[in-house]
Structures are given as C-alpha cells and as structure tokens.
Amino acid sequence: MRIGKATDTGRIRASNEDAVLALELPAPGGGPDQAAALLAVADGMGGAQQGEVASSLALSALSRHITGRLGAAGRPADDGPPGGGGHLRRILLDAVQEANQQVFARRTASRNDMGTTLVALLAAGSGAWVANVGDSRAYLLRGGRLQRLTTDHSLVAAMVSEGLITPDEVYSHPQRNIITRSLGGGPAVEADSFRLELERGDRVMLCSDGLWEMARDAELGGVLRSAPEPQGAAEELVRLANRNGGADNISVVVLDF
Ligand code: MG
C-alpha cells in the first residue's frame, strides 16, 4: 500500500476546517500481505474555528481508538468471510461512535454548534471497511474506471434520490451545503459502512466536498488515472480544485493497493 494526502484552505475561506489522516499501521501478521492502513477525511463546521476543533478532535479519537484496538486484538486480518460483519468493521464503527461522542461532548461543554463529516477506510491485507457520515466521499479507480463508493448524507442527495432535482443540480443548488448527518449532532450517530475487497492496482480516494464540488467526476478520474504516485495525485487534485475556484477547503487522501 502506498498513500498520499493533501489538504488546502482553498482560495476563498480564511481558514482550513478540514482534517486528514493517513496512517500506516504495524502489520501484526508480519508479512507484507498483512499491511494495514487507516485513512480518513473530516470536514468540520461551526463558526469561530470550531469546525477546525471538531474535525481534528474526530480524527484523533478515531486514530486513538483504532490503534488501541488493533494493538489489543492481534491480527486485524482475521476478518471473517467477505460480506460478513467482521472484526475490522466492529473496530471501525466503534471508533466512529467514539469520535462522535468526543465531538458531541465538546460541543455540549462549549455550547456551540460544532460538527464534522467523516469518511474513513480501515484496510488490512486485501480487505477494507469504509464508513461515512455526511458529504465527504470515497471513490474507487479500478481498471481505469472511477466509481463513487459512498452516498452523501445531504439535502441535495436526498432530493436527487427522490427525483426532485437532477444529479447535475447538486453542484449549483442553493441548499447544497446542508448535510443531514454529522458527527457531534447527538450522543450517537448512524454511519454507513461497507466492505471493499481490494484488488492489485486499485486506487482509492477519500475527499471533502471542497474537491468533488469543484471538479466533476470525469475530471477527478482524469487526474487519478494519469498521476503515477498517490502523493502526486493528491497534490494535483488540490491544484485542480483551486484552478476551478477553490471555493471551500480541499482535502484528499489517495491509497494505491
Ligand atoms: Mg467542505
């Protein structure tokens, strides 16, 4: 596994409230086929720099929980059959709840409206679990074809699924920034999760809306297909979003398998 990451304030916002995480984890099985990694992007919200606190708090809680659990639990590759509710999934979803509780506690204590999106991938060997809350996304480039893996929890995504607006209107709708699920909104959060069987040559990308709103999937796919290294791909995607306006904070993590 090779990983690249980049985050940028963009051209309009005064500060960067996104956070990114790319962690190569020790391989408890010892061999290179047991390599493990945790990737995540969080897009914080809330005035007066509270978004920055929320996104970084969420990712540090996520990383602390997962590294602690993997260390205690031994081999993370012991994940059961594909599609089954494996060991890794439980660890990832528990970590998402822990991150939610940390942000919720901080929000309650400081009486503000902080919150954050989260998209996270926990990979071990050739199996990975993805979890997401909000409108940060995961994409997979396989065999030259880019597919989006996650569903946004946003008002406009719900309107598309109900046929009220077209997928293209998501990019310009006045309420496109309204997300319907976030970390920190309550004592528990509902995250989507699914297993991904990684194949040799796969490239996975996690990103905040500051990337995907600035460039259509065809443009994202063009960069992901042409950049040889994951770090170069992440940096080129940030440049693309800035060339197209850079209206929001831009964050991206790229994993090559
Ligand atoms: Mg954003």
Side-chain angles (χ1 to χ4, degrees):
M1 291 187 208
R2 285 173 304 155
I3 307 172
K5 64 174 178 177
T7 184
D8 190 79
T9 304
R11 294 170 60 189
I12 307 289
R13 299 290 172 91
S15 61
N16 190 350
E17 299 193 317
D18 286 358
V20 297
L21 176 69
L23 205 57
E24 289 185 58
L25 301 164
D33 58 327
Q34 296 297 309
L38 171 64
L39 319 180
V41 168
D43 178 348
M45 63 209 85
Q49 273 81 59
Q50 291 305 315
E52 231 170 302
V53 175
S55 61
S56 63
L57 192 59
L59 294 198
S60 59
L62 187 84
S63 132
R64 200 172 334 106
H65 186 96
I66 288 174
T67 51
R69 285 278 289 278
L70 289 181
R75 300 170 60 94
D78 179 23
D79 194 38
H87 173 66
L88 279 183
R89 175 174 190 252
R90 280 197 303 279
I91 292 176
L92 179 59
L93 289 179
D94 287 352
V96 171
Q97 291 304 328
E98 172 66 22
N100 177 70
Q101 281 161 18
Q102 298 263 335
V103 178
F104 180 62
R106 183 73 66 92
R107 172 188 169 132
T108 306
S110 49
R111 295 179 191 181
N112 59 35
D113 61 352
M114 73 163 65
T116 185
T117 71
L118 176 71
V119 58
L121 176 143
L122 177 59
S126 62
W129 281 90
V130 178
N132 74 292
V133 176
D135 67 353
S136 296
R137 293 180 172 178
Y139 287 82
L140 171 66
L141 183 75
R142 175 176 288 169
R145 201 175 75 84
L146 185 69
Q147 55 183 123
R148 180 163 36 122
L149 299 174
T150 49
T151 302
D152 297 341
H153 305 131
S154 66
L155 183 65
V156 287
M159 290 169 82
V160 169
S161 72
E162 286 165 28
L164 298 171
I165 61 171
T166 67
D168 219 46
E169 286 178 87
V170 163
Y171 295 93
S172 57
H173 195 279
Q175 289 171 303
R176 65 185 178 280
N177 291 328
I178 298 179
I179 59 171
T180 50
R181 284 194 227 169
S182 60
L183 263 62
V189 70
E190 188 191 348
D192 289 350
S193 66
F194 54 91
R195 187 178 163 94
L196 178 64
E197 296 302 321
L198 291 166
E199 296 177 5
R200 190 185 171 89
D202 279 354
R203 174 169 274 184
V204 180
M205 173 179 75
L206 309 184
C207 68
S208 62
D209 64 338
L211 177 64
W212 67 255
E213 280 194 3
M214 287 291 114
R216 302 303 168 97
D217 289 3
E219 271 186 295
L220 300 178
V223 173
L224 287 167
R225 274 188 291 275
S226 62
E229 292 300 320
Q231 184 59 36
E235 290 169 9
E236 184 54 33
L237 287 162
V238 167
R239 282 193 289 273
L240 169 67
N242 276 323
R243 275 200 305 277
N244 290 359
D248 192 6
N249 305 146
I250 307 148
S251 297
V252 55
V253 184
V254 177
L255 168 81
D256 281 0
F257 185 74

